[in-house]
Amino acid sequence: MQGVIDELQKIVGRENLLTRKEDMVTYSYDAAVLDSVVPSAAVMPETSEELGEIVKVCSRQRVPLTVRGSGTNLSGGTIPSSTSGVVLLTGKLNKILEINEADMYAVVQPGVVTATLAAAVEKKGLFYPPDPGSQAVSTIGGNVAENAGGLRGLKYGVTKDYVMGISFFDAMGEHVKSGSRTVKCATGYNLAGMMVGSEGTLGVMDEIILKLIPLPKARKSMVAVYKTIEKASETVAAIIANRIVPATLEILDNFTIRAVEAYSRAGLPVDAGALLLIEVDGHPGQVEDEGRDVEELCRKLGADSIKVASDDTEREKIWSARRSALSALAKLKPTLVLEDATVPRSQIPAMVRALQEIAVKYKIEIGTFGHAGDGNLHPTILTDKRNKEEWHRVESAIEEIFDKALALGGTLSGEHGTGLAKAPFLEKETGISSILFSRRLRKAMDPYGILNPGKVTGVI
Amino acid sequence: MQGVIDELQKIVGRENLLTRKEDMVTYSYDAAVLDSVVPSAAVMPETSEELGEIVKVCSRQRVPLTVRGSGTNLSGGTIPSSTSGVVLLTGKLNKILEINEADMYAVVQPGVVTATLAAAVEKKGLFYPPDPGSQAVSTIGGNVAENAGGLRGLKYGVTKDYVMGISFFDAMGEHVKSGSRTVKCATGYNLAGMMVGSEGTLGVMDEIILKLIPLPKARKSMVAVYKTIEKASETVAAIIANRIVPATLEILDNFTIRAVEAYSRAGLPVDAGALLLIEVDGHPGQVEDEGRDVEELCRKLGADSIKVASDDTEREKIWSARRSALSALAKLKPTLVLEDATVPRSQIPAMVRALQEIAVKYKIEIGTFGHAGDGNLHPTILTDKRNKEEWHRVESAIEEIFDKALALGGTLSGEHGTGLAKAPFLEKETGISSILFSRRLRKAMDPYGILNPGKVTGVI
């Protein structure tokens, strides 16, 4: 291993190679509830050329390589595969290389922070919609690798829908380009599409071309208060059925409301059975119409009250309360498991009922919040992993959540990715042929098995 | 070969297996200007099961298999690779399996005609936006295989942007599933994304899940008349720069205007240097504002006149004139070469100038029309392939068009695919590493090389 470390140091310099035990611990885990694995070194390239050289060394020396942005992912996608592995940190590949206003695209390095890009394009009147919960720290590279979603998925789609092109180093360190700076591109295989969600197992990205759109001219946020989560979830289905696609349509159950209020003192109604947080955006006329229609639907389906944000401060208050949900819940118990099994949106009421039944059946606490409008709930289990008996019940509950989502026509993961966490369950959804196909694909693209081993397809 | 034919006949029955010479000629070519290759049999499965069995026979017997929808593609993607090859016709796999209004998706078999699906979902107030020029006959399977675009690309994207999931048989006949009925899915590799644009070389699709959106509430179409194509193309760039994204923004040069008028008697101004055909859609207030702003921009940038369609009949007249452009030009000479090299939209004026220079330089006729708003022009060369000397000049002109598009930051193909036509030029755009990567991918997924050999990556 020392030989590899010496080679890597030659590429990036002493200051960009970390091997101290305390640093290695930092890169041994991510936001998933999984065992940590301490790598042997972490390397921080500053240029594409260095990135390519690092991949070549790892390829030649057969060293497992795990690329890490900010480590916010919830599937274990950035947990090193072995103690002999190297972690590649994208923190210094953080340049926005181009924001093209005329052609509405941006070219970025993988280490650019999501919110930094969003703010930079907004200054030019443009919009990069994907907004994963971790956007303040998550990186575009990580978002692409995990196909990250966010609050705006129902109207604006997910990361996948904004990737126009990717260039990357393959497992042998060869530089591959796919996609284009044009909104239409049918040249060659859609390798950029294949890279999205591949969690660092098919190549190491160095540049990403992202589609931008004009910033919506107007928006309106509101909070609808319900006695029961059933009524709230029926409203979600009714809004979509009425052909209204809000920019965001979030739900918080009573458990989550109380946790958020205790954490953030945002003035949420702690007695409410559930809240819907809704934002419509677009042309001012459309915002007015859709805002009115949504209000009417909420009332018709049993909302006790609806509060419309009267200015940006009030709007910000709503969304920062929503964004604090995960941190607020995390305060309550030593271990928090955040799931993202997703169902077709009309099945949200059925999924909400199922989650309540599962909580009772396994005697566990589940806080439910999330992106109800696109069917992507976040059932959040609060537990203590050290309590083996309870943890066993939690594991059974998670598997039952997966089974229920699939039975309702859904998917194991809406936006957190497969990683290590969901790899063992993949077969339930796709069948064995899809896994064998995926493993064959992976083996061909990474014959020495150095790119983030164990993720997505399991160990091959 | 007779053994293979007997096996196939056992699967689909005598009535669904064609081997007569005159039938085989029908399936020997497509809409690309390339040499035809007569296959040995054509087979028409009626079910997914039959489809899978056919792939298994071809795999076991190592028979090249080319899947064909309506054969409207312009890249040679459906020309058989050899006279011992089998063509698989999707015409009887033409069922819309589900249109889910509540969750806004459709599940279709590959042989469903694009316009049939569009009309079926429109009846339910939903919208499937991709509208390739051949939509009246093209199939969804073909659209997915070629990543077909259309007139609405700039606002609504292309086929790729509507594919939520695909199930397919791999080269060994194993059934693989990818994607989901949910708008968010981060489970496993994005195999559905990889299949888009893969031209039948990675698997044979049997079901496609497509995203639908609400039908726009209003729309307004207009025709702006210009003295010169330069002024028209500058208007295109100005509209986008003003953050207006019309649903369609099409250009026709004088040559195309005259051809269309002679063909369709639509009342187009034959003396105009160019026309812009523009449609804005969305909320009625947005349509009013954008319609007004577009009109103002057209005038400011030199339009002689602007005519707004006053009703659906006038609107239909505009778009049927545009849709007849290809047929109209095809009448003029024995051979028509329709290119689709695409540039970032701000480069449309530069590309238009380049096309004029190339026409002069090679003494050929180029009619230019197409999707100016997304940078996807269709320079259309009128020639006679039997005139060897002229054909040689045409080939040189095509290569220069490719070079120019790439120099302007564009791509070889915006929407027609790579097929046989552009495979030899792929390296210009992507470099050799991308091609080697793609060939490795393909070889792994199709070890016997039976799936549409020669397409996309060239012969491997």
Side-chain angles (χ1 to χ4, degrees):
Chain A
M1 198 62 211
Q2 192 54 47
V4 173
I5 289 171
D6 291 345
E7 279 199 72
L8 294 176
Q9 189 166 303
K10 250 183 232 156
I11 297 168
V12 297
R14 185 182 293 255
E15 70 282 12
N16 287 327
L17 187 87
L18 309 174
T19 54
R20 290 189 316 171
K21 182 75 186 170
E22 51 272 42
D23 288 324
M24 293 308 95
V25 170
T26 308
Y27 305 123
S28 69
Y29 64 95
D30 57 25
V33 184
L34 292 165
D35 294 337
S36 57
V37 177
V38 178
S40 59
V43 59
M44 281 188 288
E46 294 187 343
T47 65
S48 278
E49 292 66 33
E50 290 180 3
L51 189 67
E53 290 305 310
I54 293 165
V55 178
K56 280 198 172 109
V57 168
C58 292
S59 175
R60 198 171 57 239
Q61 303 275 11
R62 314 284 195 263
V63 174
L65 181 66
T66 295
V67 181
R68 183 183 180 100
S70 299
T72 55
N73 88 80
L74 289 144
S75 62
T78 46
I79 297 177
S81 63
S82 87
T83 52
S84 65
V86 167
V87 171
L88 192 153
L89 302 170
T90 61
K92 292 192 173 179
L93 294 167
N94 63 351
K95 285 174 215 54
I96 298 175
L97 301 169
E98 183 184 359
I99 295 176
N100 192 312
E101 290 185 66
D103 295 319
M104 296 200 287
Y105 66 79
V107 185
V108 303
Q109 291 185 315
V112 169
V113 169
T114 316
T116 304
L117 175 69
V121 305
E122 194 167 327
K123 266 191 209 153
K124 296 173 190 287
L126 292 169
F127 190 28
Y128 176 69
D131 60 343
S134 52
Q135 63 177 348
V137 288
S138 72
T139 64
I140 296 292
N143 294 170
V144 172
E146 298 288 345
N147 191 13
L151 279 66
R152 301 195 186 105
L154 71 166
K155 179 164 182 176
Y156 290 105
V158 296
T159 305
K160 177 181 72 171
D161 300 304
Y162 294 85
V163 172
M164 291 166 68
I166 292 177
S167 67
F168 61 92
F169 293 95
D170 72 10
M172 274 67 79
E174 297 298 325
H175 197 234
V176 177
K177 283 194 286 186
S178 170
S180 156
R181 281 166 162 79
T182 57
V183 289
K184 279 177 174 171
C185 177
T187 308
Y189 283 140
N190 181 19
L191 300 178
M194 185 182 83
M195 289 295 287
V196 176
S198 66
E199 302 186 339
T201 66
L202 300 175
V204 179
M205 297 179 275
D206 71 327
E207 277 187 30
I208 300 151
I209 308 171
L210 295 168
K211 182 168 112 172
L212 306 173
I213 60 175
L215 201 60
K217 287 195 168 62
R219 53 195 184 186
K220 184 182 272 188
S221 291
M222 58 190 95
V223 180
V225 181
Y226 289 83
K227 279 202 185 62
T228 67
I229 193 166
E230 288 80 1
K231 289 280 171 206
S233 65
E234 285 162 18
T235 304
V236 170
I239 290 172
I240 306 287
N242 275 269
R243 304 277 191 262
I244 302 169
V245 184
T248 52
L249 179 40
E250 299 283 309
I251 200 165
L252 270 67
D253 72 355
N254 174 267
F255 193 90
T256 310
I257 295 167
R258 282 185 289 128
V260 170
E261 187 53 26
Y263 179 83
S264 69
R265 302 283 167 210
L268 299 185
V270 292
D271 296 332
L275 298 181
L276 289 183
L277 314 184
I278 308 164
E279 180 164 290
V280 292
D281 70 0
H283 182 273
Q286 177 186 3
V287 168
E288 205 184 311
D289 287 359
E290 290 189 353
R292 186 197 55 227
D293 292 350
V294 166
E295 262 196 77
E296 267 175 31
L297 279 168
C298 288
R299 281 190 212 289
K300 207 171 130 191
L301 282 132
D304 289 335
S305 70
I306 297 152
K307 183 170 168 43
V308 179
S310 59
D311 55 26
D312 272 0
T313 315
E314 281 191 24
R315 174 182 177 271
E316 196 37 54
K317 214 167 153 189
I318 294 173
W319 296 112
S320 69
R322 161 62 187 86
R323 287 197 179 279
S324 73
L326 185 55
S327 311
L329 290 165
K331 289 262 175 196
L332 303 180
K333 283 278 184 82
T335 310
L336 175 149
V337 182
L338 182 72
E339 283 305 332
D340 71 321
T342 300
V343 294
R345 35 202 161 194
S346 67
Q347 301 299 325
I348 281 283
M351 192 65 192
V352 162
R353 278 194 301 276
L355 290 170
Q356 291 172 330
E357 287 161 17
I358 289 168
V360 170
K361 178 173 172 188
Y362 292 101
K363 300 186 195 71
I364 54 173
E365 284 180 319
I366 305 185
T368 293
F369 69 100
H371 321 307
D374 55 28
N376 178 201
L377 289 178
H378 290 315
T380 305
I381 303 173
L382 300 166
T383 180
D384 183 344
K385 207 180 169 184
R386 293 163 301 187
N387 179 341
K388 291 237 182 308
E389 185 275 329
E390 183 172 289
W391 182 247
H392 184 70
R393 278 185 280 125
V394 168
E395 287 185 317
S396 302
I398 292 171
E399 193 155 352
E400 196 157 328
I401 291 172
F402 291 163
D403 289 341
K404 189 66 196 181
L406 293 177
L408 292 170
T411 183
L412 295 174
S413 172
E415 58 181 14
H416 295 167
T418 309
L420 294 171
K422 295 201 172 63
F425 304 99
L426 203 52
E427 191 177 342
K428 279 179 189 276
E429 179 168 341
T430 65
I432 188 67
S433 296
S434 300
I435 295 176
L436 295 177
F437 185 92
S438 298
R439 289 182 177 169
R440 202 142 41 90
L441 165 66
R442 181 174 187 168
K443 182 88 188 155
M445 304 338 287
D446 179 20
Y448 310 131
I450 63 156
L451 295 177
N452 213 11
K455 314 302 159 24
V456 193
T457 58
V459 177
I460 59 171
Chain B
M1 196 63 211
Q2 193 54 48
V4 173
I5 289 171
D6 291 346
E7 279 198 72
L8 294 175
Q9 189 167 301
K10 249 182 232 156
I11 297 168
V12 297
R14 183 182 295 256
E15 69 283 12
N16 287 326
L17 187 88
L18 310 173
T19 54
R20 290 188 316 171
K21 181 77 185 170
E22 50 272 43
D23 288 325
M24 294 307 95
V25 170
T26 308
Y27 305 123
S28 68
Y29 63 96
D30 56 25
V33 184
L34 293 165
D35 295 337
S36 58
V37 177
V38 178
S40 59
V43 57
M44 281 188 288
E46 294 187 343
T47 65
S48 278
E49 292 65 35
E50 290 179 4
L51 188 66
E53 290 306 310
I54 293 165
V55 178
K56 280 199 173 111
V57 167
C58 291
S59 175
R60 198 172 55 239
Q61 303 276 12
R62 312 284 195 263
V63 174
L65 181 67
T66 295
V67 181
R68 183 183 180 99
S70 299
T72 54
N73 90 82
L74 289 145
S75 62
T78 45
I79 296 177
S81 63
S82 86
T83 51
S84 64
V86 167
V87 170
L88 191 152
L89 302 170
T90 61
K92 292 191 174 180
L93 294 166
N94 62 351
K95 285 173 214 55
I96 298 175
L97 301 170
E98 183 184 359
I99 295 176
N100 192 311
E101 291 185 66
D103 295 319
M104 296 201 284
Y105 68 79
V107 184
V108 303
Q109 291 185 316
V112 169
V113 169
T114 315
T116 304
L117 174 68
V121 306
E122 194 167 329
K123 265 192 209 151
K124 297 173 189 286
L126 292 168
F127 190 27
Y128 176 70
D131 59 343
S134 52
Q135 63 177 348
V137 288
S138 72
T139 64
I140 296 291
N143 294 171
V144 172
E146 298 288 346
N147 191 13
L151 279 66
R152 301 193 186 106
L154 71 167
K155 179 163 182 177
Y156 290 105
V158 296
T159 305
K160 177 181 72 170
D161 300 304
Y162 294 85
V163 172
M164 292 166 69
I166 292 176
S167 66
F168 60 93
F169 293 95
D170 72 10
M172 274 68 80
E174 297 298 324
H175 197 233
V176 177
K177 283 193 286 186
S178 170
S180 155
R181 282 166 160 78
T182 57
V183 289
K184 281 177 173 170
C185 178
T187 307
Y189 284 138
N190 180 18
L191 300 177
M194 185 182 82
M195 288 296 287
V196 176
S198 67
E199 301 185 341
T201 66
L202 301 175
V204 180
M205 296 179 275
D206 71 326
E207 275 186 32
I208 301 153
I209 308 171
L210 295 169
K211 182 168 113 172
L212 306 173
I213 59 176
L215 201 59
K217 288 196 166 61
R219 53 195 183 184
K220 184 182 276 186
S221 291
M222 58 191 95
V223 180
V225 181
Y226 289 83
K227 280 204 185 60
T228 68
I229 193 166
E230 288 82 359
K231 290 280 172 207
S233 64
E234 285 161 18
T235 304
V236 171
I239 290 172
I240 306 287
N242 274 272
R243 305 276 192 265
I244 302 168
V245 184
T248 52
L249 177 41
E250 299 283 308
I251 201 165
L252 268 65
D253 72 355
N254 174 267
F255 192 91
T256 310
I257 294 167
R258 282 185 289 129
V260 169
E261 187 54 26
Y263 180 82
S264 68
R265 303 283 168 210
L268 299 184
V270 291
D271 296 332
L275 298 180
L276 290 183
L277 314 185
I278 308 164
E279 181 163 289
V280 291
D281 70 1
H283 181 274
Q286 177 186 3
V287 168
E288 204 184 310
D289 288 359
E290 291 190 353
R292 185 197 56 227
D293 293 350
V294 166
E295 263 195 76
E296 268 174 32
L297 279 168
C298 289
R299 281 191 212 288
K300 206 170 129 191
L301 281 134
D304 288 335
S305 71
I306 298 153
K307 182 168 169 48
V308 178
S310 59
D311 57 25
D312 272 0
T313 314
E314 281 191 22
R315 174 182 178 273
E316 196 36 56
K317 214 168 155 187
I318 293 174
W319 297 112
S320 70
R322 160 62 186 86
R323 287 197 180 279
S324 73
L326 185 56
S327 311
L329 289 165
K331 289 262 173 197
L332 303 181
K333 284 279 183 81
T335 309
L336 176 147
V337 183
L338 182 72
E339 284 304 331
D340 71 321
T342 300
V343 294
R345 35 200 160 194
S346 66
Q347 302 300 325
I348 281 284
M351 192 67 192
V352 162
R353 277 193 302 276
L355 290 170
Q356 290 173 330
E357 287 161 16
I358 290 168
V360 171
K361 178 174 172 185
Y362 292 100
K363 300 186 195 71
I364 54 173
E365 284 181 317
I366 305 184
T368 294
F369 68 99
H371 321 306
D374 54 28
N376 179 201
L377 290 179
H378 289 315
T380 305
I381 303 173
L382 300 166
T383 180
D384 184 343
K385 207 181 169 182
R386 294 162 301 187
N387 179 341
K388 291 240 183 304
E389 185 275 327
E390 181 171 292
W391 183 245
H392 184 67
R393 280 184 279 126
V394 167
E395 286 185 318
S396 302
I398 291 172
E399 192 153 353
E400 197 158 326
I401 291 172
F402 291 164
D403 289 341
K404 189 66 197 180
L406 293 178
L408 292 171
T411 184
L412 295 174
S413 171
E415 58 180 13
H416 293 168
T418 308
L420 294 170
K422 294 199 172 65
F425 302 100
L426 202 52
E427 192 178 342
K428 280 180 189 273
E429 179 168 340
T430 66
I432 188 67
S433 296
S434 301
I435 296 175
L436 294 178
F437 185 92
S438 298
R439 288 182 180 171
R440 203 140 44 87
L441 165 66
R442 181 174 187 168
K443 182 87 188 154
M445 304 338 287
D446 180 19
Y448 310 131
I450 62 156
L451 295 177
N452 213 10
K455 314 301 160 28
V456 193
T457 59
V459 177
I460 60 174

